[in-house]
């Protein structure tokens, strides 16, 4: 289980997270919803160690992540799929996947077959450059690269952003399969309400740096929850 407890995060004088507390249990899909600029990516930066926090604590399966560098968190099983995908455009698909080897023990430095069963397109495009893939294919590659690191929690930042509906379906199916077959924890940040409602076991809504709602996915249909999500 990932636990984020009363975390504050500042960019200079501007506060992006205000006392944020969430939990993402193993074997569950936990979703954080919120409009543009409410602090979703900042929360994930705090979890992955890309941005220092100014208060609170973050722990994963009993290990305190506070102050650890991103690669140390990756070694502890925190896998990250960044917003905008961040594929290396000049590296091939295979080479992009291999960048996931860094935190992995030498004996585990191979690409698990699961990745190609989930996203067969990656296998057929192994020799192509990352930059030649469509947005949806790059998103599948970004998830594949995170899976190469053998995560115990998979953290995804808006994986449906700018992606065509058929691939969104594939990604949803993959996320569900990962939860059910591996028991990993999944922490999904989204603006796409329907995607979350279908997938999530538990949801949080963020507004202006704070958690303003929490409950099972069905509670997204209450007027109180909607109020925080409509522009
Ligand atoms: N590197 C930075 N330096 C200064 N301010 C930042 C930085 N990154 C984000 N912010 C500010 O922090 C707030 C939260 O941004 P964040 O990127 O976490 O939001 P978000 O919910 O991920 O938005 P989006 O849905 O657009 O991805 C915003 O006001 C943003 O302008
Ligand atoms: Mg963001």
């Amino acid at each position: 289980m990932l636990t984020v407890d009363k975390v504050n995060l500042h960019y200079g004088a501007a506060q992006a997270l205000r006392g944020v507390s969430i939990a993402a249990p193993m074997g569950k899909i936990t979703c954080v919803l919120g409009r543009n600029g409410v602090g979703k990516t900042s929360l994930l930066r705090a979890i992955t160690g890309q941005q220092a926090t100014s208060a609170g604590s973050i722990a994963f399966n009993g290990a305190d992540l506070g102050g650890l560098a991103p690669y140390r968190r990756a070694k502890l099983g925190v896998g990250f799929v960044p917003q905008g995908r961040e594929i290396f455009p000049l590296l091939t698909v295979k080479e992009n996947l291999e960048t996931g080897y860094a935190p992995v023990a030498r004996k585990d430095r191979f690409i698990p077959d699961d990745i190609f069963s989930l996203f067969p397109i990656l296998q057929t495009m192994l020799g192509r450059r990352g930059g030649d893939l469509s947005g949806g294919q790059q998103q599948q590659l970004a998830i594949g690269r995170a899976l190469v690191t053998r995560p115990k929690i998979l953290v995804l930042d808006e994986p449906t952003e700018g992606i065509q509906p058929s691939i969104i379906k594939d990604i949803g199916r993959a996320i569900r399969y990962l939860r059910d077959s591996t028991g990993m924890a999944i922490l999904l940040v989204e603006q796409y309400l329907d995607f979350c409602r279908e997938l999530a076991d538990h949801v949080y809504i963020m507004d202006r740096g704070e958690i303003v709602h929490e409950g099972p996915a069905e509670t997204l249909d209450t007027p109180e929850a909607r109020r925080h999500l409509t522009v």
Side-chain angles (χ1 to χ4, degrees), residues 33-41 83 158 161 190-191 206-209 228-231:
L33 274 158
R35 292 175 290 218
N36 281 121
V38 298
K40 303 182 299 297
T41 297
Q83 185 166 16
E158 298 203 41
E161 196 178 23
E190 264 300 338
Q191 294 201 41
M206 276 187 89
D207 202 356
R208 291 177 214 171
H228 293 289
L229 296 171
T230 45
V231 181

Side-chain angles (χ1 to χ4, degrees), residues 109-194:
R109 290 191 178 172
F110 59 91
I111 299 167
D113 288 338
D114 258 14
I115 293 174
F116 298 125
S117 336
L118 286 174
F119 304 124
I121 191 74
L122 296 182
Q123 187 145 41
T124 54
M125 297 186 96
L126 270 179
R128 299 279 285 278
R129 287 189 178 188
D132 293 339
L133 272 56
S134 73
Q137 291 164 347
Q138 289 187 358
Q139 190 60 256
Q140 298 178 73
L141 176 54
I143 296 172
R145 178 180 59 189
L147 293 175
V148 167
T149 69
R150 310 299 198 279
K152 299 190 181 79
I153 178 168
L154 187 64
V155 177
L156 304 107
D157 196 349
E158 298 203 41
T160 68
E161 196 178 23
I163 305 296
Q164 68 189 67
S166 69
I167 297 192
I168 291 181
K169 278 213 176 71
D170 290 342
I171 290 174
R173 214 176 294 128
I175 290 174
R176 207 175 272 122
Y177 167 84
L178 289 168
R179 173 194 62 190
D180 297 340
S181 70
T182 69
M184 69 171 69
I186 292 173
L187 178 61
L188 176 63
V189 155
E190 264 300 338
Q191 294 201 41
Y192 183 10
L193 179 76
D194 292 340

